[in-house]
Amino acid sequence: MIKGIGIDIIELDRIEASLGKSDRLAARVLTASELGKYEELTNWRRRIEYLAGRFAAKEACAKALGTGIGKLSFRDIEVTNDEKGAPKLTVQGYDHYIYLLSISHSKEYAVAQVVICEKA
């Protein structure tokens, strides 16, 4: 049974402008594991897409849970990849749900959608 859905879209220019000033946004949004992968990226554009995609995924997840960012922090939500490379979510304190995540990028935007289902 579906418990919630959420979607978020963000302009890549906003992420780029923030990163141009400092890496504070990356440190605030990404978990330690995500930050490690982010720091391994040598292509500036790929760093922007990576951070924007995770930002959108975490916002979409918080919307789907009905909590918003506030009750949950960005670092309570982690985006990893399964064995085929598809993104997946884990959320501290909410492991009783199944999370379905899709992230996409265009030249100007990153978008993410999350569907939350009850475990059988």
Side-chain angles (χ1 to χ4, degrees):
M1 179 167 150
I2 293 176
K3 295 301 287 181
I5 60 170
I7 190 167
D8 193 67
I9 186 168
I10 186 159
E11 300 91 355
L12 297 180
D13 288 351
R14 276 184 59 199
I15 298 296
E16 184 174 22
S18 178
L19 290 177
K21 295 175 188 171
S22 78
D23 267 349
R24 269 191 0 222
L25 180 64
R28 192 177 68 124
V29 170
L30 302 175
T31 64
S33 175
E34 291 169 328
L35 192 56
K37 290 183 192 296
Y38 168 83
E39 290 172 345
E40 289 174 6
L41 298 171
T42 57
N43 181 290
W44 176 248
R45 186 70 180 172
R46 183 64 194 113
R47 275 187 170 209
I48 294 164
E49 291 172 348
Y50 181 90
L51 181 56
R54 272 135 188 87
F55 183 95
K58 293 174 184 208
E59 285 280 355
C61 180
K63 290 173 183 178
L65 285 168
T67 64
I69 295 296
K71 182 175 180 185
L72 283 174
S73 79
F74 284 112
R75 288 183 281 162
D76 289 332
I77 305 166
E78 186 168 57
V79 180
T80 57
N81 298 91
D82 69 14
E83 62 282 347
K84 294 181 181 178
K88 65 180 188 173
L89 283 170
T90 53
V91 184
Q92 290 181 22
Y94 292 85
D95 57 349
H96 54 284
Y97 293 128
I98 296 169
Y99 299 91
L100 305 173
L101 168 63
S102 182
I103 302 173
S104 189
H105 308 91
S106 72
K107 183 178 177 184
E108 298 177 14
Y109 300 98
V111 63
Q113 183 173 13
V114 174
V115 176
I116 301 174
C117 303
E118 281 191 32
K119 289 184 177 178

